[in-house]
Amino acid sequence: MKRNISYTIVGLTLTACLWASCSGNKSKSGRTDTYSSGVIDFASDESFSPIIEEEREVFEATYPKAKVNPIYTNESDGMEMLLNKKTYLLITARDFKPEELKNLKDRGYAPRTIRLAYDGLALIINKENTDSCITVKDIARILDGSATKWSDIYPGSKRGDITLVFDNEKSSAVHYAEDSILGGKPITSKNVTAAQTSAEVVNYVAKTPNAIGIIGSNWLNDKRDTTNLTFNKNIRLMSVSKLDTATPNNSWKPYQYYIYNNNYPLIRTIYGLLNDPRNGLPWGFAHFIESAKGQMIILKAGLLPVNGQITIRSVNVN
């Protein structure tokens, strides 16, 4: 018997960027790095580590004289590092706040923002849990404590209390939940907790039947992730709906095409925040990620590139 299977393929057409190298003379700060050489540290939200590692490896292979060392941390601590000149580049899921821009400009700096990619916050549950569709409204009820048991969302469920776990209490995922899901209000539920890393969230959910984990969707295709989430038989990916009642027909997973057409409701922008007066290697690495080669890495990792012409094709396979 023949089966007719339809696939949706997301493609990308990009225009290469032209770079100009900076002077290799030593600055007052003692730095000698240029746009494509030298050694620098930069900060990144830990939830983006899979895609950053991909970009870093290709960048260093392309520019053998360059070495970029990631410091994986949470969003709040990363911003403190940037404001205090402990790093000149932060990769995270928000732009500068007005008071942060004012702080830097008042001190004579010229901060810049580069949009790098779009991803979706992924909700994962234990393999034993078959309640895999949820609404944004119900996620908010879990976060504010008005829904504490699975039966509050799925009447008749005997799964007991809901435990919702983030990757870190100061991560970009927590800030997204407060700003975009709760409308600027803080998380108040006693059923919400935080691990230290995305990998710990995966491990916790795999062992806890009543848990929901929140991680960046770039972990779903991470070749370095020893938890192997994409094929982890102990994990199930939830579908999320914008409507008041979630069904399989109106709920979506954080896959590339559903981020592209805005069906998936929990979409974030990944930014490169720069405060580099030298326009050196931090600029070079950030612009590499938004270049043709860097955006192709974004595409192949399952995230949505910011730059380039996206093409959508439907493919039927008999």
Side-chain angles (χ1 to χ4, degrees):
M1 180 178 63
K2 292 185 178 180
R3 297 176 60 191
N4 188 38
I5 305 174
S6 179
Y7 292 95
T8 300
I9 298 175
V10 181
L12 179 67
T13 303
L14 291 144
T15 302
C17 300
L18 296 177
W19 294 356
S21 296
C22 301
S23 170
N25 296 331
K26 183 179 291 187
S27 68
K28 293 180 180 180
S29 66
R31 290 173 55 190
T32 59
D33 59 285
T34 72
Y35 212 70
S36 57
S37 68
V39 180
I40 57 103
D41 296 337
F42 70 96
S44 173
D45 191 294
E46 181 274 336
S47 65
F48 300 130
S49 60
I51 188 62
I52 296 306
E53 284 300 304
E54 294 280 348
E55 297 282 1
R56 181 187 64 81
E57 284 191 3
V58 178
F59 177 78
E60 291 179 352
T62 305
Y63 301 98
K65 294 183 179 180
K67 177 69 175 177
V68 289
N69 301 315
I71 301 172
Y72 293 120
T73 182
N74 58 71
E75 183 178 89
S76 297
D77 291 347
M79 180 57 70
E80 285 296 317
M81 293 174 64
L82 190 67
L83 293 174
N84 293 323
K85 292 182 64 177
K86 294 181 180 179
T87 184
Y88 299 96
L89 169 64
L90 169 64
I91 296 174
T92 190
R94 70 167 175 88
D95 202 345
F96 286 106
K97 295 179 180 179
E99 60 269 25
E100 293 164 346
L101 284 174
K102 184 177 185 304
N103 176 294
L104 291 169
K105 291 179 179 179
D106 287 349
R107 291 155 56 195
Y109 299 114
R112 295 288 300 274
T113 298
I114 300 176
R115 291 185 305 152
L116 301 176
Y118 303 105
D119 89 326
L121 273 182
L123 275 64
I124 56 174
I125 53 177
N126 187 274
K127 69 171 183 178
E128 297 179 6
N129 193 344
T130 57
D131 296 322
S132 59
C133 293
I134 193 169
T135 67
V136 175
K137 181 178 179 181
D138 283 333
I139 297 171
R141 292 174 61 212
I142 296 171
L143 294 170
D144 67 19
S146 58
T148 60
K149 298 181 180 297
W150 281 94
S151 57
D152 294 334
I153 298 177
Y154 305 96
S157 173
K158 301 185 183 301
R159 200 163 298 281
D161 291 339
I162 297 172
T163 299
L164 191 148
V165 58
F166 285 93
D167 52 346
N168 188 287
E169 62 182 5
K170 296 189 289 184
S171 74
S172 58
V174 171
H175 295 155
Y176 180 94
E178 293 178 332
D179 295 341
S180 300
I181 300 178
L182 292 178
K185 298 178 182 178
I187 297 170
T188 54
S189 174
K190 295 180 180 179
N191 289 29
V192 176
T193 185
Q196 291 298 317
T197 66
S198 299
E200 289 181 18
V201 175
V202 175
N203 291 333
Y204 181 84
V205 172
K207 299 174 182 177
T208 311
N210 65 328
I212 299 176
I214 298 184
I215 59 174
S217 63
N218 72 128
W219 277 81
L220 301 179
N221 294 304
D222 179 22
K223 293 185 293 185
R224 293 168 184 76
D225 178 17
T226 56
T227 61
N228 199 17
L229 178 58
T230 306
F231 305 102
N232 192 326
K233 296 180 180 179
N234 297 319
I235 295 297
R236 189 188 302 268
L237 186 60
M238 296 193 84
S239 299
V240 184
S241 176
K242 299 177 183 178
L243 303 181
D244 290 338
T245 302
T247 69
N249 292 328
N250 67 23
S251 304
W252 311 93
K253 295 180 179 179
Y255 296 150
Q256 197 173 52
Y257 179 65
Y258 302 135
I259 294 174
Y260 171 80
N261 65 15
N262 207 36
N263 277 343
Y264 191 70
L266 308 179
I267 300 173
R268 305 183 295 177
T269 303
I270 303 175
Y271 296 94
L273 305 183
L274 286 150
N275 184 34
D276 182 11
R278 185 176 171 79
N279 289 355
L281 193 53
W283 275 89
F285 183 55
H287 283 296
F288 172 81
I289 299 176
E290 72 163 350
S291 74
K293 187 177 289 186
Q295 292 288 284
M296 189 60 67
I297 295 170
I298 295 285
L299 181 75
K300 290 181 178 179
L303 302 186
L304 192 66
V306 166
N307 296 323
Q309 181 180 352
I310 303 295
T311 57
I312 305 297
R313 290 178 294 174
S314 295
V315 179
N316 292 321
V317 179
N318 292 324

